[in-house]
Each structure stands twice: as structure tokens, then as C-alpha cells.
Amino acid sequence: MATDTERLTEAAVRVSGLVRRFGERPGRTVLDHLDLSIAPGEFVALLGRSGSGKSTLLRALAGLDYDVAGSGSIEVPGRVSVVFQDSRLLPWRRVLDNVLLGLDGREVVAGGRAALAEVGLAGRERAWPVELSGGEQQRAALARSLVREPELLLADEPFGALDALTRIRMHGLLRELCRRHGPAVLLVTHDVDEAIVLADRVLVLDAGRIAVDQPIHLPQPRSHRDPRFLEYRFQLLTALGVEEETAA
Amino acid sequence: MATVQMIAPPTLRRTPATAAPGRRRRLGLGRPIPYGRVLGPVVLLAAWSAASAAGLLDPRVLPAPWTVVGTVRRLIEAGTLQDSLLVSLRRAALGFAIGAVVGVALALVAGLSRLGEAVVDGWMQVQRAVPTLGLIPLMILWLGIGEAFKVVIIALVVAITLYIQTHAGLTSIDNRYVELAETIGLNRLRFIRAVVLPGALPGLFIGLRLAVTSSWISLVVLEQINATSGIGYLMFQAQNYAQTDVIVVGLIIYGLFGFLSDAALRLAERRVLSWRRTLSG
Ligand SMILES: Nc1ncnc2c1ncn2[C@@H]1O[C@H](COP(=O)(O)OP(=O)(O)OP(=O)(O)O)[C@@H](O)[C@H]1O
Ligand SMILES: [Mg+2]
């Protein structure tokens, strides 16, 4: 397939033979010679049981794993942005100043305002983070990532703390923003539906490796009632070790 | 035939829906009482007046409030009160200013670099273990019994208190913010400016308020032991002549000093840390 060869020659992320180990020697191997590549602009969701090493992989890509034993090679683009499970807005900076944290110049202010408007927070530039709802805080964090025009967006359960309704809204928003800005995305989630709704490709991490690599061939927007959706869902849940009688 | 079981509807608790804007959080401290802070002193004053008027208080033990007011007028006319006040204020302000600058500077040195921590923190911890007022004899031998030694003692007390609080604030930044700064690619200077320093401000304010209190305490001790001027000296002399009213004037002035400086700091804290929402806010 043409797209596959392209994916191999030009990648936004290329990980090979990644090993990560925790604890005293010999330690517990969490990632065991893991290989992964993500194409530019590709949206990849990463599923896996709790403790399977999803966050470990993401932190390795973000360069946040100091003092962790391991080996392997990681190639990531220059501009990487991370969205955490909590918004990590600095409470002592107003929303716009949080979005612009570490950026200089007059132009970036306009960029920051535009990014806030994109996530639906126009007019809240001068609010303190404590004055925002959980969903709004997470949207501000998204704006903080977007304004940096990342080539790779790493997100570790960014919607995990949000209610179901807000989450669905955030899905639409994230999908739209990624279409417009075109970063490669690695989204860690424990929600199979979220993965299928959003991703071009869903990975399942198991025993330290990518056990399932499933492209999702469904047109956007995706419906939960689509029989193919249910098929993917059943398949992924099975890969995660969930026996589900209700899945037809 | 199926028996239909009746399920009692749950009893609903009524909460006044219209009261929402004025409602207080249940575990909060409730509505702030207007001028609540002066309430205590006012009650005390009333009790004192009543007891004096009723003749329950021996004027040699505690003179009546009006006697004290008269004494204040007399002392002002003689110029003693103003002079003593200025001398005391100057000592406290000078000591506090020097101590604050030194304490915060040392905390920054120790909190922002490993080398600084190695050099500074060790002896600050030792210094902290030695009660500074215990250094009075040594300081008198070194600096003589003039103004310098008093200012130095107050500065030391202030510096240590501020150092401890500010250093703690600087070194206990939330690791999550460090990670954020790393992923965003802040350089060290920016990280310090945007994350470390603002994060340490609450600690700094705790330090300031503690330091103000301890600087007044040191002032009292210093002026009553080895001084030839100041409010404390005035009180010390009054003791020799059994002038209870003058002693009470001195105490009230010390109290006012403490109260006003703390109020000023609270105000500054509210301004600077306006991003915080706390229980008392
Ligand atoms: N700093 C650490 N020190 C020791 N062990 C760690 C550390 N970080 C992670 N681990 C271990 O590595 C394993 C994988 O952790 P990781 O956080 O990557 O899991 P996860 O897939 O993100 O799980 P979850 O879905 O619950 O977030 C876990 O067993 C965890 O205990
Ligand atoms: Mg995790």
C-alpha cells in the first residue's frame, strides 16, 4: 500500500527497540523492545490496561523520563507539546498569560487570543485559572499547546477528569483542531470509544509491546451505532482482555 | 397476580434556592463580621473601663483608661512620647529592612542553586537552632551597647524567619509545574521568574508576618534590657518610679505597632496573591 511506504519513509515519530525498566536490578520491564512509528498528521490512540506502560511510553517521547533505566532509540520532531491529565495552568497567571507562557513578542499575543477563541474561551483571557471549570481549564491547556504549533501532540488521558458530556464536546473540538493544525497526535486513553471516535489508528499496549495496531477505516464524524464501529470496539475490547456479552 | 410493592418516595431536603448568591460554603468560616478584628479590643476596653469606674481595680495595679489617656497627653506635651516612638520605630524599621533583604537574598541563593544551598543552608539551620536573643551578650561585646547591636539583633531575627519560610516556598514547587516548564521549553531564568518565584510568594508572606511579630518581640526585649531611649526604656524607667500608667501606654503602643504592621501585610498579601481563593477569602 502506498500510504504504508510513505509512513515508513517520512515519520513524525520513530521509536525502535525501546526498553524501560523500573525498580532495583534486574527491575520490572515495562516497555520491552517496543517499536512504533507515527506519520506526520496522523492521529494515533494508545490503549492498554492500567499499568501496561502507556504513560511510560508517552513520557519517554516527551523526554520526561529522567533516571529511568532503559535503551532504544527515539526520534521526535523539534516542536513537541504535551497535554496532561490535569490542565497544569499556573494558578498565579491569568489564562492568556498561561497560554503564552514562555513565548515572546507582540504577534504571539494575537496568536494566544486566537487560540483561546478556537477552544471557545474568547473573552476569558483575563480570568484566573481557578475561575474556570474543569473543561474550560483543559481547553485552555489545549490552547497553550496549539499556540506553539506543535508537530507532535502528546496527550495522556487529557479528558480523564471530565464528565461524559464535556468529553464528547472535547472530542469534536480536538478532532477539528487537529484537522486544522495537522500535528501528529499520540493520545493515551483508557476509553475504547474515545479511541475509535478520534483516531486514524488504535494501538493496544500489552506486555511491553504494541500488541494490536488497528487502522480505523471509518468516515468522520463517526457514529457509535455504526456496525463497523461496534466491530472495532469488540475487537479492541477483546484485545484488552474484556469479555463482553453485550457486544453483538 | 403480581403484588405491587409500594416504594416510599425519598424525603427531600429543602434548600433555599433563592438564597444562592448570599449563601456561604458550609465548611467555610461564614460571613466576615464587619470590623470584626477591632471587636476584641473594644470589648476589652469596655470591661477595663467598667472595672475601673466601679472601683474594682487598684490604680497602682492597673490605672483607669482615662488616666492612661491623660498620661499620653502629658507625655506628648513633654515631647517624650514622640521622641521615644521615633527611636523605637527607627530601630524596628531599620532592623526589619536589613533583615528582610538579607533573609530573602540568602533564601534565593540557597533555593535556586545547589552550590548556594550547600554554602548557605547548613549554617542557616545552625543559626536557626540558636535562639537569636541569646546572642545579645556577644553582640554587646562586639558592637558595643549603641544602636548598631540592637539593629543587628532585630535584623538577625527577621532574616532567619524569612529565610526559613521563603526557602521552603522555593524548594517545594509542585513537580507537575516543573514538568510543564520542561515540556514547554522554558529556560532556567524564565522558569525561575514564571514558576518558582510566584510559587514561593505565599511562603514569603507567611515569613513576613512571622518576622514582623518577632521583630517587635526582639525590640521589647532589647529596649528593656539595654537601652537609654525608646518606648521600652520609657517603660523600664516607669517601673522604677512605679508609674503603671506609663507602662500601660508603652504596652498599648507596642500592641498598636504589631496590629498595624500585621494589617498592612495582610492587605499587601491580599493584593499580591489575589489569584488565590482560600477559606478566609
Ligand atoms: N517512576 C516510577 N517508579 C517505579 N515504577 C514506575 C514508575 N513509573 C511507572 N512505574 C510502573 O510502571 C508501570 C507502568 O506505568 P504507567 O504509568 O506507564 O502505566 P499506564 O499504562 O499509564 O497506567 P494507567 O492507565 O493506570 O495510567 C506500572 O506498573 C508502574 O507501577
Ligand atoms: Mg497513565
Side-chain angles (χ1 to χ4, degrees), chain A residues 4-125:
Chain A
D4 273 22
T5 43
E6 231 177 63
R7 192 176 287 163
L8 286 177
T9 48
E10 190 206 339
V13 175
R14 196 175 295 141
V15 174
S16 63
L18 189 67
V19 176
R20 285 293 181 264
R21 218 174 262 133
F22 288 110
E24 295 298 310
R25 244 173 276 258
R28 218 160 49 77
T29 306
V30 173
L31 299 181
D32 184 10
H33 295 91
L34 179 141
D35 299 314
L36 166 70
S37 74
I38 301 177
E42 190 183 23
F43 197 129
V44 175
L46 180 62
L47 291 169
R49 281 179 242 202
S50 180
S52 57
K54 305 182 294 294
S55 297
T56 306
L57 174 59
L58 192 110
R59 294 172 65 81
L61 293 180
L64 287 174
D65 56 344
Y66 302 103
D67 307 321
V68 180
S71 57
S73 81
I74 296 175
E75 289 171 57
V76 289
R79 292 198 305 277
V80 179
S81 202
V82 183
V83 181
F84 299 90
Q85 179 166 5
D86 58 308
S87 67
R88 301 203 184 185
L89 299 173
L90 298 174
W92 47 81
R93 294 187 140 228
R94 293 180 190 273
V95 170
L96 182 61
D97 296 331
N98 260 295
V99 169
L100 297 178
L101 181 63
L103 302 175
D104 297 298
R106 291 238 166 272
E107 329 74 76
V108 300
V109 177
R113 286 178 186 282
L116 277 173
E118 267 191 302
V119 299
L121 286 177
R124 306 301 301 274
E125 292 86 355

Side-chain angles (χ1 to χ4, degrees), chain B residues 121-139 142 152-161 164 214 218:
Chain B
D121 197 54
W123 67 260
M124 283 309 278
Q125 298 300 334
V126 172
Q127 182 73 61
R128 173 191 181 183
V130 179
T132 311
L133 295 181
L135 294 177
I136 289 178
L138 192 62
M139 287 297 156
W142 284 358
V152 166
I153 291 281
I154 294 176
L156 269 177
V157 170
V158 169
I160 290 163
T161 312
I164 289 163
S214 40
S218 319

Side-chain angles (χ1 to χ4, degrees), chain A residues 59 64 66 82 86 88 90-92 102 104 128 130-131 144 148, chain B residues 176-177 179-180 182-184 186 190 194-195 198-199 274-275 277:
Chain A
R59 294 172 65 81
L64 287 174
Y66 302 103
V82 183
D86 58 308
R88 301 203 184 185
L90 298 174
W92 47 81
D104 297 298
W128 295 112
V130 284
E131 295 169 341
R144 181 180 57 201
R148 281 147 231 275
Chain B
R176 296 174 315 133
Y177 296 143
E179 278 184 7
L180 170 74
E182 279 180 349
T183 61
I184 271 180
L186 289 190
R190 282 249 170 113
V195 181
S274 58
W275 49 269
R277 295 276 181 286

